[in-house]
Amino acid sequence: MTIVIFGGNGDLAHRKLLPALYNLHVDGLLPPRIAIAGVGRKDTPDAAYREFAKDGITKFSRRPIDEQAWQTFAAMLFFVKASLDGEQVLAPLGARLDIIEHERGLPGDRIYYFALPPALFVPTVKQLDRARFVNRTGDPVARLIVEKPIGRDLDSARAVNDAIAGVFDERQIYRIDHYLGKETVQNILVMRFANSIFEPLFNQKYVDHVQITVAEEEGVGTRAGYYEQAGALRDMVQNHMLQLVALVAMEPPHALDADVIRDEKLEVLESLRPIEGAAIDANVVRAQYAAGFDLGKPVPGYREEQGVDPCSRTETFVALQIFIDNWRWAGVPFFLRTGKRLPKRASEISVHLKEVPPILFNANPAARLDPNVLSVRIQPDEGFSLGISSKLPGPHVRVYPVKMDFHYGSTFGGSSPEAYERLLLDVIAGDPTLFMRRDAVEAAWRWVMPILERWAETTTDSLPAYPAGDWGPVEAGQLVESTGRRWRAL
Ligand SMILES: NC(=O)c1ccc[n+]([C@@H]2O[C@H](COP(=O)([O-])OP(=O)(O)OC[C@H]3O[C@@H](n4cnc5c(N)ncnc54)[C@H](OP(=O)(O)O)[C@@H]3O)[C@@H](O)[C@H]2O)c1
């Protein structure tokens, strides 16, 4: 196998891809014969590229460098200079890859990874076609990994998908949503379908509501150029959060087959109740962080960040109330919130069960019992917990909320593989289960489009603000409180 990373000297390769490949190598999970070729515009000798990789691994790998493992890994790394601007630019790359593959006895099975600015996805796939790098027969293997974002709206996503489909079959395409590679996210299906205790409860009969939070402590940092064009709805909700909704809400698939699972997830996306017109103002809150504090240190507001338009209307926070109009979830609100500069980094799904009847222990209207909550912590401190009511020891019957808590770290020890490790391994094995199929990407865009369009039209009202270090604007609290519920404290 040859892995060709377009954008091989970029930030993603440095922080995620090369460290992930190194860890797979240390675990003995890479194919015995493999070459990894980074591609970029800068003139970079192989030795310098290996140093670049070593630096990334030293700084970002979950395991420290082991000199012996590093030496064998370094020997797999190459760099090929190629600018993707212009015509017929891949001929020299093809010649170099042929030599590398010949020297290492590789059959020419290749994975092409687009770790590139999204504007280069379409031109590069056309270049691959012109250079005759791709065949649809599977011999030799040609697979494509595409990073997010796929488009910035439905039309542009379709254009990217059309261009890629002109060169690769859908089964050769692996659209990354790195959230789906996280252990805890994969565990959602295991938790739901490998235990008889939870699944019977996952429906409108027993579930009062579901909350999904993806909170970032960091501000926009150095990514203003990208983020100004994206905002929280595009950056987080359209992809990661709707994927989490799909996993929590999907019907049991009849097999662990990639397309069976992806069909069931698609069903959920297609059952999302459209939020349109005035309903958007009532069900979707957007906001921007103002100056505030991060761990006691003053930090600037979004509009004061480097590279951000001082009049920017890009949302750094979004909260939504959504419904899935199918039999299982009829009438159950799903509350989603995500934002930058929130008090801490935390991603969690919580399933809030209905209260017990107001009889016996729950009879006092002034002291209602806490309903049971099943919470899945995606990061940090991966695990899940179930909040239940228990009797406080002593002569009186006093009920107290306790937790049954499972922590990955203490139960299984060691560090879990990074999402990119799992995802790269799956592409090498040809398993697309954890990747986004074209129809799902477009269904998610179709659903968010009315919101994006309304926001684009409403440019006069002021955007709600929240001080950096707070859990979003008051409007986000009101969104949930107006239904008689509260955001869960994280
Ligand atoms: N960084 C992350 O954590 C992250 C997370 C999720 C998704 N992504 C996605 O991953 C992709 C890459 O992101 P990144 O952060 O790694 O970007 P980056 O640091 O800006 O790297 C871009 C890469 O593309 C190469 N490149 C740019 N223009 C080129 C051209 N005309 N011809 C050939 N190569 C060219 C650059 O090579 P030269 O420098 O040699 O020109 C560089 O290696 C983007 O689609 C991004 O949305 C990134």
Side-chain angles (χ1 to χ4, degrees), residues 287-300:
Q288 225 176 37
Y289 64 82
F293 293 89
D294 176 28
L295 298 173
K297 214 178 78 213
V299 289

mmCIF file with all atom_site columns, all heavy atoms in Angstrom, residues 287-300:
data_model
loop_
_atom_site.group_PDB
_atom_site.id
_atom_site.type_symbol
_atom_site.label_atom_id
_atom_site.label_alt_id
_atom_site.label_comp_id
_atom_site.label_asym_id
_atom_site.label_entity_id
_atom_site.label_seq_id
_atom_site.pdbx_PDB_ins_code
_atom_site.Cartn_x
_atom_site.Cartn_y
_atom_site.Cartn_z
_atom_site.occupancy
_atom_site.B_iso_or_equiv
_atom_site.pdbx_formal_charge
_atom_site.auth_seq_id
_atom_site.auth_comp_id
_atom_site.auth_asym_id
_atom_site.auth_atom_id
_atom_site.pdbx_PDB_model_num
ATOM 1   N N   . ALA A 1 287 ? -24.670 33.107 18.541 1.00 0.00 ? 287 ALA A N   1
ATOM 2   C CA  . ALA A 1 287 ? -24.032 34.160 19.336 1.00 0.00 ? 287 ALA A CA  1
ATOM 3   C C   . ALA A 1 287 ? -22.535 34.171 19.065 1.00 0.00 ? 287 ALA A C   1
ATOM 4   O O   . ALA A 1 287 ? -21.991 33.252 18.437 1.00 0.00 ? 287 ALA A O   1
ATOM 5   C CB  . ALA A 1 287 ? -24.297 33.926 20.819 1.00 0.00 ? 287 ALA A CB  1
ATOM 6   N N   . GLN A 1 288 ? -21.915 35.231 19.554 1.00 0.00 ? 288 GLN A N   1
ATOM 7   C CA  . GLN A 1 288 ? -20.470 35.414 19.354 1.00 0.00 ? 288 GLN A CA  1
ATOM 8   C C   . GLN A 1 288 ? -19.837 35.690 20.719 1.00 0.00 ? 288 GLN A C   1
ATOM 9   O O   . GLN A 1 288 ? -20.439 36.371 21.548 1.00 0.00 ? 288 GLN A O   1
ATOM 10  C CB  . GLN A 1 288 ? -20.304 36.668 18.504 1.00 0.00 ? 288 GLN A CB  1
ATOM 11  C CG  . GLN A 1 288 ? -19.339 36.562 17.398 1.00 0.00 ? 288 GLN A CG  1
ATOM 12  C CD  . GLN A 1 288 ? -19.349 37.837 16.567 1.00 0.00 ? 288 GLN A CD  1
ATOM 13  O OE1 . GLN A 1 288 ? -19.493 38.953 17.097 1.00 0.00 ? 288 GLN A OE1 1
ATOM 14  N NE2 . GLN A 1 288 ? -19.177 37.680 15.277 1.00 0.00 ? 288 GLN A NE2 1
ATOM 15  N N   . TYR A 1 289 ? -18.628 35.185 20.926 1.00 0.00 ? 289 TYR A N   1
ATOM 16  C CA  . TYR A 1 289 ? -18.009 35.469 22.226 1.00 0.00 ? 289 TYR A CA  1
ATOM 17  C C   . TYR A 1 289 ? -17.441 36.879 22.267 1.00 0.00 ? 289 TYR A C   1
ATOM 18  O O   . TYR A 1 289 ? -16.892 37.375 21.291 1.00 0.00 ? 289 TYR A O   1
ATOM 19  C CB  . TYR A 1 289 ? -16.986 34.419 22.653 1.00 0.00 ? 289 TYR A CB  1
ATOM 20  C CG  . TYR A 1 289 ? -15.726 34.247 21.824 1.00 0.00 ? 289 TYR A CG  1
ATOM 21  C CD1 . TYR A 1 289 ? -14.613 35.089 21.972 1.00 0.00 ? 289 TYR A CD1 1
ATOM 22  C CD2 . TYR A 1 289 ? -15.622 33.189 20.933 1.00 0.00 ? 289 TYR A CD2 1
ATOM 23  C CE1 . TYR A 1 289 ? -13.445 34.895 21.240 1.00 0.00 ? 289 TYR A CE1 1
ATOM 24  C CE2 . TYR A 1 289 ? -14.453 32.981 20.187 1.00 0.00 ? 289 TYR A CE2 1
ATOM 25  C CZ  . TYR A 1 289 ? -13.380 33.847 20.350 1.00 0.00 ? 289 TYR A CZ  1
ATOM 26  O OH  . TYR A 1 289 ? -12.235 33.647 19.621 1.00 0.00 ? 289 TYR A OH  1
ATOM 27  N N   . ALA A 1 290 ? -17.681 37.522 23.402 1.00 0.00 ? 290 ALA A N   1
ATOM 28  C CA  . ALA A 1 290 ? -17.102 38.832 23.662 1.00 0.00 ? 290 ALA A CA  1
ATOM 29  C C   . ALA A 1 290 ? -15.887 38.624 24.571 1.00 0.00 ? 290 ALA A C   1
ATOM 30  O O   . ALA A 1 290 ? -15.609 37.492 24.984 1.00 0.00 ? 290 ALA A O   1
ATOM 31  C CB  . ALA A 1 290 ? -18.146 39.708 24.345 1.00 0.00 ? 290 ALA A CB  1
ATOM 32  N N   . ALA A 1 291 ? -15.194 39.715 24.875 1.00 0.00 ? 291 ALA A N   1
ATOM 33  C CA  . ALA A 1 291 ? -14.025 39.588 25.756 1.00 0.00 ? 291 ALA A CA  1
ATOM 34  C C   . ALA A 1 291 ? -14.446 38.957 27.087 1.00 0.00 ? 291 ALA A C   1
ATOM 35  O O   . ALA A 1 291 ? -15.583 39.133 27.535 1.00 0.00 ? 291 ALA A O   1
ATOM 36  C CB  . ALA A 1 291 ? -13.418 40.961 25.995 1.00 0.00 ? 291 ALA A CB  1
ATOM 37  N N   . GLY A 1 292 ? -13.560 38.230 27.669 1.00 0.00 ? 292 GLY A N   1
ATOM 38  C CA  . GLY A 1 292 ? -13.881 37.572 28.945 1.00 0.00 ? 292 GLY A CA  1
ATOM 39  C C   . GLY A 1 292 ? -12.636 36.942 29.515 1.00 0.00 ? 292 GLY A C   1
ATOM 40  O O   . GLY A 1 292 ? -11.519 37.465 29.316 1.00 0.00 ? 292 GLY A O   1
ATOM 41  N N   . PHE A 1 293 ? -12.797 35.798 30.155 1.00 0.00 ? 293 PHE A N   1
ATOM 42  C CA  . PHE A 1 293 ? -11.665 35.168 30.827 1.00 0.00 ? 293 PHE A CA  1
ATOM 43  C C   . PHE A 1 293 ? -11.557 33.693 30.459 1.00 0.00 ? 293 PHE A C   1
ATOM 44  O O   . PHE A 1 293 ? -12.553 33.010 30.277 1.00 0.00 ? 293 PHE A O   1
ATOM 45  C CB  . PHE A 1 293 ? -11.816 35.296 32.344 1.00 0.00 ? 293 PHE A CB  1
ATOM 46  C CG  . PHE A 1 293 ? -11.705 36.720 32.806 1.00 0.00 ? 293 PHE A CG  1
ATOM 47  C CD1 . PHE A 1 293 ? -12.827 37.520 32.862 1.00 0.00 ? 293 PHE A CD1 1
ATOM 48  C CD2 . PHE A 1 293 ? -10.461 37.246 33.133 1.00 0.00 ? 293 PHE A CD2 1
ATOM 49  C CE1 . PHE A 1 293 ? -12.725 38.845 33.252 1.00 0.00 ? 293 PHE A CE1 1
ATOM 50  C CE2 . PHE A 1 293 ? -10.348 38.573 33.528 1.00 0.00 ? 293 PHE A CE2 1
ATOM 51  C CZ  . PHE A 1 293 ? -11.479 39.378 33.583 1.00 0.00 ? 293 PHE A CZ  1
ATOM 52  N N   . ASP A 1 294 ? -10.307 33.250 30.327 1.00 0.00 ? 294 ASP A N   1
ATOM 53  C CA  . ASP A 1 294 ? -10.058 31.820 30.165 1.00 0.00 ? 294 ASP A CA  1
ATOM 54  C C   . ASP A 1 294 ? -9.113  31.423 31.286 1.00 0.00 ? 294 ASP A C   1
ATOM 55  O O   . ASP A 1 294 ? -7.978  31.916 31.343 1.00 0.00 ? 294 ASP A O   1
ATOM 56  C CB  . ASP A 1 294 ? -9.421  31.557 28.783 1.00 0.00 ? 294 ASP A CB  1
ATOM 57  C CG  . ASP A 1 294 ? -9.056  30.098 28.599 1.00 0.00 ? 294 ASP A CG  1
ATOM 58  O OD1 . ASP A 1 294 ? -9.708  29.248 29.221 1.00 0.00 ? 294 ASP A OD1 1
ATOM 59  O OD2 . ASP A 1 294 ? -8.110  29.802 27.825 1.00 0.00 ? 294 ASP A OD2 1
ATOM 60  N N   . LEU A 1 295 ? -9.584  30.593 32.196 1.00 0.00 ? 295 LEU A N   1
ATOM 61  C CA  . LEU A 1 295 ? -8.812  30.199 33.377 1.00 0.00 ? 295 LEU A CA  1
ATOM 62  C C   . LEU A 1 295 ? -8.237  31.421 34.099 1.00 0.00 ? 295 LEU A C   1
ATOM 63  O O   . LEU A 1 295 ? -7.055  31.480 34.429 1.00 0.00 ? 295 LEU A O   1
ATOM 64  C CB  . LEU A 1 295 ? -7.673  29.245 32.980 1.00 0.00 ? 295 LEU A CB  1
ATOM 65  C CG  . LEU A 1 295 ? -8.078  27.916 32.357 1.00 0.00 ? 295 LEU A CG  1
ATOM 66  C CD1 . LEU A 1 295 ? -6.853  27.156 31.865 1.00 0.00 ? 295 LEU A CD1 1
ATOM 67  C CD2 . LEU A 1 295 ? -8.879  27.052 33.336 1.00 0.00 ? 295 LEU A CD2 1
ATOM 68  N N   . GLY A 1 296 ? -9.081  32.409 34.256 1.00 0.00 ? 296 GLY A N   1
ATOM 69  C CA  . GLY A 1 296 ? -8.682  33.604 34.997 1.00 0.00 ? 296 GLY A CA  1
ATOM 70  C C   . GLY A 1 296 ? -7.875  34.608 34.196 1.00 0.00 ? 296 GLY A C   1
ATOM 71  O O   . GLY A 1 296 ? -7.576  35.701 34.669 1.00 0.00 ? 296 GLY A O   1
ATOM 72  N N   . LYS A 1 297 ? -7.510  34.255 32.984 1.00 0.00 ? 297 LYS A N   1
ATOM 73  C CA  . LYS A 1 297 ? -6.692  35.142 32.158 1.00 0.00 ? 297 LYS A CA  1
ATOM 74  C C   . LYS A 1 297 ? -7.600  35.901 31.190 1.00 0.00 ? 297 LYS A C   1
ATOM 75  O O   . LYS A 1 297 ? -8.438  35.279 30.531 1.00 0.00 ? 297 LYS A O   1
ATOM 76  C CB  . LYS A 1 297 ? -5.714  34.271 31.354 1.00 0.00 ? 297 LYS A CB  1
ATOM 77  C CG  . LYS A 1 297 ? -4.368  34.897 31.102 1.00 0.00 ? 297 LYS A CG  1
ATOM 78  C CD  . LYS A 1 297 ? -3.457  33.945 30.351 1.00 0.00 ? 297 LYS A CD  1
ATOM 79  C CE  . LYS A 1 297 ? -3.849  33.942 28.907 1.00 0.00 ? 297 LYS A CE  1
ATOM 80  N NZ  . LYS A 1 297 ? -3.753  32.844 28.089 1.00 0.00 ? 297 LYS A NZ  1
ATOM 81  N N   . PRO A 1 298 ? -7.440  37.239 31.088 1.00 0.00 ? 298 PRO A N   1
ATOM 82  C CA  . PRO A 1 298 ? -8.328  37.955 30.161 1.00 0.00 ? 298 PRO A CA  1
ATOM 83  C C   . PRO A 1 298 ? -8.061  37.553 28.715 1.00 0.00 ? 298 PRO A C   1
ATOM 84  O O   . PRO A 1 298 ? -6.915  37.359 28.317 1.00 0.00 ? 298 PRO A O   1
ATOM 85  C CB  . PRO A 1 298 ? -7.982  39.437 30.388 1.00 0.00 ? 298 PRO A CB  1
ATOM 86  C CG  . PRO A 1 298 ? -6.776  39.479 31.233 1.00 0.00 ? 298 PRO A CG  1
ATOM 87  C CD  . PRO A 1 298 ? -6.513  38.117 31.795 1.00 0.00 ? 298 PRO A CD  1
ATOM 88  N N   . VAL A 1 299 ? -9.120  37.383 27.941 1.00 0.00 ? 299 VAL A N   1
ATOM 89  C CA  . VAL A 1 299 ? -8.974  37.023 26.526 1.00 0.00 ? 299 VAL A CA  1
ATOM 90  C C   . VAL A 1 299 ? -9.872  37.940 25.697 1.00 0.00 ? 299 VAL A C   1
ATOM 91  O O   . VAL A 1 299 ? -10.913 38.405 26.172 1.00 0.00 ? 299 VAL A O   1
ATOM 92  C CB  . VAL A 1 299 ? -9.347  35.528 26.269 1.00 0.00 ? 299 VAL A CB  1
ATOM 93  C CG1 . VAL A 1 299 ? -8.299  34.590 26.841 1.00 0.00 ? 299 VAL A CG1 1
ATOM 94  C CG2 . VAL A 1 299 ? -10.719 35.192 26.821 1.00 0.00 ? 299 VAL A CG2 1
ATOM 95  N N   . PRO A 1 300 ? -9.461  38.206 24.440 1.00 0.00 ? 300 PRO A N   1
ATOM 96  C CA  . PRO A 1 300 ? -10.240 39.140 23.627 1.00 0.00 ? 300 PRO A CA  1
ATOM 97  C C   . PRO A 1 300 ? -11.529 38.520 23.110 1.00 0.00 ? 300 PRO A C   1
ATOM 98  O O   . PRO A 1 300 ? -11.683 37.295 23.090 1.00 0.00 ? 300 PRO A O   1
ATOM 99  C CB  . PRO A 1 300 ? -9.296  39.436 22.445 1.00 0.00 ? 300 PRO A CB  1
ATOM 100 C CG  . PRO A 1 300 ? -8.409  38.243 22.350 1.00 0.00 ? 300 PRO A CG  1
ATOM 101 C CD  . PRO A 1 300 ? -8.269  37.697 23.737 1.00 0.00 ? 300 PRO A CD  1
#
